[in-house]
Amino acid sequence: MTEQKQIISAVDAHEKYGFDLVDLETLRYGLIEVARDMHETLMRGGFSPIVRDVRDCTAAVHVRTDAGWEMAASWEGCVQHAFVSQHIANFVMDEWDESILKPGDVIMVNDPWRGAVHCSDINLLMPVFWHGEVQFLLHTTSHVADMGGPIPGGFANGTQTCFEEQLKFPPTLMYAEGVPVRPVFNYILENNRVPHLVLGDIRALSGALQVGSRQLTGVLDRYGIDRVKAGAAYGMDVTEAAMRAGIAAMPDGDYRVSDFLDDDSIDPVPVEIVMTVKVRGDSMEIDYSGTSRQPNGNVGTAWIESTRAIIGAKFILDPSSPVNSGTLRPVEAIMPPGSAVCVLPPSSCSNHVDTGSRIVNLMTQAMAVALSDQAIACDSGTAGMMNIGGIDTRTGREGTPWATFSLPGGGWGGTWKSDGLSLCLVSMGNCRSSVQEHVERENPVVVWEHELMPDTAGAGEHRGGSGSLYTVEALAPTVVTITGDRIRAGAPGVQGGGTGMPFYGWLLHDLDPSVAMDSLDYTGAEPLFGIFDDDGRPDPDHGEFGKGAKYQTGKISQVLLAPGQGLRLIVGGGGGWGDPLRREVDAVLEDVDDGVYSAEFVERAYGLVFGADGTVDREATAVRRAELAAAREAGEWKVPTACSPNFRGSRTVKEVSA
């Protein structure tokens, strides 16, 4: 890891950029403040919980340079947006006739092959003129609640082409000189399940651009175009130097890793993603050669993995400097056309989340190989995302369309310094979970549980973070799309650490909160997906994938809930770092006291021995740990995958139906 340091003297700065170093520092942070003001305006003005609560949105400032449009500053809620923002700006401006742009014009695009992450993400770009020429582009983006198509919420699991998905827009004029282009608005709103939410979010996106334009124009008026552009160049150069310093600290070499998505939502065959990280000096190349062909289902992505992999490297190598174009400069990517990371149209690519999560996991695995002890284990690799919506039937709200978005989240992996973070979203997004009180106030659902789930964190000298338990009940007929992965295997550990719990889901019939809130009792629950033993209990090490479950995938569309029915998800924790037999006994006992682990699980994974009075026998524990270490050396024992030994009451689909 690197710390941000001064990379240039005041004399050299004046010679290179032509201005005082104090002004350059002021302006690089001034541009960040413009992006921050845009982002905060967007969040305050957003109508849907996706913007207002989840922070699935970003703002950026792009500057014209000899290399094209470069991102001078960003303020991310959803970090992946900041990494793709610069490319979206270039895709749009390469295609748009710049000579017809006018002040107040706003261009909208959501086409994945023209830069957008997926069709659910609306991108708005506004030019900022200086003396009649476009010198800056302001950019706001947000995931919206719906953009039409057959699947509410846009994650079109089970589709094969983009024609079966949402409305897809090439660069389109949305505001002409500040005036809404009515046909565009009408087309979006009349093909939308929740037009009131989407209209509110579009207006918030546009309003944030107005704020940014006013702020940036004020900076230009005060400092002048040459000084502001010099500050932008300086800021990007500072970040580039920090990123290059982080890469240079890695040993030169080719670091090849691979991992699998469970399936593509159509075919049960796992999708392999191969990544070779090539480090030479202060530069890095990410090569995806060997990755599976583009899938039939919707998990492939159009191009965005060229930048999203950098998120994992940024976290580890350069966590301090702001994200801008300089972050991207030292990295090149090779993506075979027609592969899972570079699908060709008209392939479906609405579910970018699972692929992106795995890409960041792969980069952290490659860093673990390169940096050895200074490794980070994988996060949960899935957000357990749910798109929920329908038509309200409650008295006084009959016929009202509604939609909400849930990200239960999991755990991050353990590191060489500390345990992983618990109950948080995958690092690719860096978003927040929904505010459940808002969800219940605005929609006909009750969120009965969103809490830490015991025995989900991968065991280790530094354990992974714990995953989550999420239970929701429908109060009106409800349609749910579940988008998740890591069902076949949880998040892997590093340096001898254990695997986090995989992803599980159940349908709860006639949900009675007075008896159904026991996180370990699944009497009457219908297993939707997971790895189960013969009695229907979760058992990732000895059970069978999909045994007794309704689905053989965690990417499901159109799950119908009647009033009184519910869903329960368990999103696994992060992988562990290091040998769990070396974790301090007191730290393990603290985990038991805190509800991170059960006593039964730590006996299996950490070798603790408890006496009849419930206290740990330290001498017997030392002996037991030595026995387990010897058994592991002989290939007779391995660190168990995180999972509670105390599940009870589960039934198979056949038993539930009967």
Side-chain angles (χ1 to χ4, degrees), residues 466-501:
S466 294
S468 67
L469 174 73
Y470 185 84
T471 303
V472 60
E473 178 187 4
L475 303 181
T478 297
V479 180
V480 181
T481 295
I482 302 174
T483 302
D485 206 81
R486 290 283 192 210
I487 301 174
R488 295 175 183 267
V494 294
Q495 301 294 316
T499 301
M501 186 176 179

Side-chain angles (χ1 to χ4, degrees), residues 459 488-489 496-499 539-543 579-581 601 603-607 624 627-642:
R488 295 175 183 267
T499 301
D539 188 352
D541 283 335
H542 306 102
D579 183 0
L581 301 180
F601 180 77
E603 287 179 326
R604 297 182 181 185
Y606 290 94
R624 177 60 176 159
E627 293 172 347
L628 291 176
R632 180 176 55 197
E633 186 71 21
E636 298 171 355
W637 181 80
K638 67 175 184 177
V639 180
T641 297

Side-chain angles (χ1 to χ4, degrees), residues 563-610:
Q565 290 186 319
L567 287 172
R568 174 173 287 165
L569 302 180
I570 294 178
V571 183
W577 182 96
D579 183 0
L581 301 180
R582 297 185 55 172
R583 186 170 177 85
E584 294 290 340
V585 171
D586 288 340
V588 180
L589 291 175
E590 185 176 345
D591 287 337
V592 175
D593 289 341
D594 290 342
V596 175
Y597 290 127
S598 65
E600 292 81 2
F601 180 77
V602 300
E603 287 179 326
R604 297 182 181 185
Y606 290 94
L608 266 62
V609 177
F610 292 92

Side-chain angles (χ1 to χ4, degrees), residues 13-305:
H14 195 281
E15 181 178 344
K16 181 174 181 180
Y17 301 101
F19 296 99
D20 183 80
L21 182 59
V22 173
D23 280 350
L24 296 173
E25 282 284 338
T26 299
L27 286 166
R28 78 160 170 138
Y29 282 108
L31 291 171
I32 293 173
E33 281 299 297
V34 172
R36 184 188 69 83
D37 285 349
M38 292 165 61
H39 184 264
E40 295 304 310
T41 300
L42 174 56
M43 285 196 60
R44 287 195 300 268
F47 271 49
S48 76
I50 301 173
V51 180
R52 183 193 63 218
D53 297 335
V54 178
R55 292 168 52 98
D56 195 349
C57 54
T58 295
V61 179
H62 305 287
V63 60
R64 183 193 295 279
T65 72
D66 293 339
W69 292 97
E70 293 193 271
M71 184 174 65
S74 68
W75 195 272
E76 76 276 1
C78 183
V79 68
Q80 63 174 337
H81 287 157
F83 280 74
V84 302
S85 181
Q86 170 181 305
H87 296 283
I88 294 172
N90 281 282
F91 274 119
V92 169
M93 296 306 289
D94 284 348
E95 184 171 349
W96 199 265
D97 183 357
E98 190 177 318
S99 66
I100 65 173
L101 278 175
K102 302 289 180 61
D105 285 354
V106 174
I107 303 168
M108 185 267 285
V109 64
N110 73 332
D111 180 4
W113 286 280
R114 288 180 169 96
V117 173
H118 62 158
C119 291
S120 292
D121 289 338
I122 288 181
N123 298 269
L124 297 189
L125 295 106
M126 171 186 280
V128 176
F129 288 79
W130 188 256
H131 294 171
E133 294 186 355
V134 182
Q135 294 291 350
F136 291 87
L137 278 176
L138 301 179
H139 183 185
T140 54
T141 182
S142 171
H143 188 127
V144 295
D146 192 63
M147 280 293 282
I151 307 299
F155 286 82
N157 299 325
T159 62
Q160 294 184 271
T161 69
C162 62
F163 305 124
E164 303 167 72
E165 296 179 3
Q166 299 173 288
L167 300 177
K168 178 165 63 70
F169 287 86
T172 301
L173 191 64
M174 191 152 223
Y175 289 84
E177 299 182 68
V179 179
V181 179
R182 185 173 295 275
V184 176
F185 275 86
N186 288 347
Y187 188 70
I188 293 174
L189 300 179
E190 291 182 15
N191 288 279
N192 203 291
R193 295 174 176 85
V194 283
H196 57 297
L197 295 181
V198 174
L199 177 60
D201 286 349
I202 291 175
R203 286 175 171 170
L205 287 162
S206 174
L209 293 175
Q210 301 291 338
V211 169
S213 178
R214 184 173 64 246
Q215 299 286 73
L216 180 56
T217 300
V219 174
L220 290 167
D221 286 338
R222 179 174 180 180
Y223 290 94
I225 186 69
D226 292 337
R227 197 183 303 263
V228 174
K229 293 187 80 169
Y234 168 75
M236 293 184 288
D237 289 347
V238 167
T239 291
E240 179 185 1
M243 189 70 177
R244 288 192 182 278
I247 296 173
M250 295 177 60
D252 282 2
D254 295 357
Y255 305 103
R256 188 180 189 275
V257 291
S258 66
D259 206 337
F260 293 85
L261 297 175
D262 293 328
D263 55 80
D264 66 4
S265 80
I266 293 178
D267 296 329
V269 180
V271 178
E272 184 177 17
I273 302 177
V274 178
M275 177 187 293
T276 303
V277 178
K278 302 176 182 179
V279 177
R280 301 291 186 273
D282 63 358
S283 299
M284 177 184 292
E285 180 183 271
I286 304 169
D287 186 353
Y288 292 96
S289 298
T291 294
S292 294
R293 60 176 288 277
Q294 66 182 47
N296 289 326
N298 66 329
V299 301
T301 54
W303 66 277
I304 51 177
E305 307 316 336

Side-chain angles (χ1 to χ4, degrees), residues 387-424:
N387 291 86
I388 312 172
I391 304 296
D392 206 336
T393 58
R394 293 175 296 171
T395 302
R397 304 186 186 185
E398 297 91 337
T400 304
W402 64 278
T404 191
F405 187 69
S406 175
L407 291 167
W412 285 19
T415 78
W416 76 98
K417 287 187 174 182
S418 65
D419 297 337
L421 299 177
S422 295
L423 204 60
C424 54

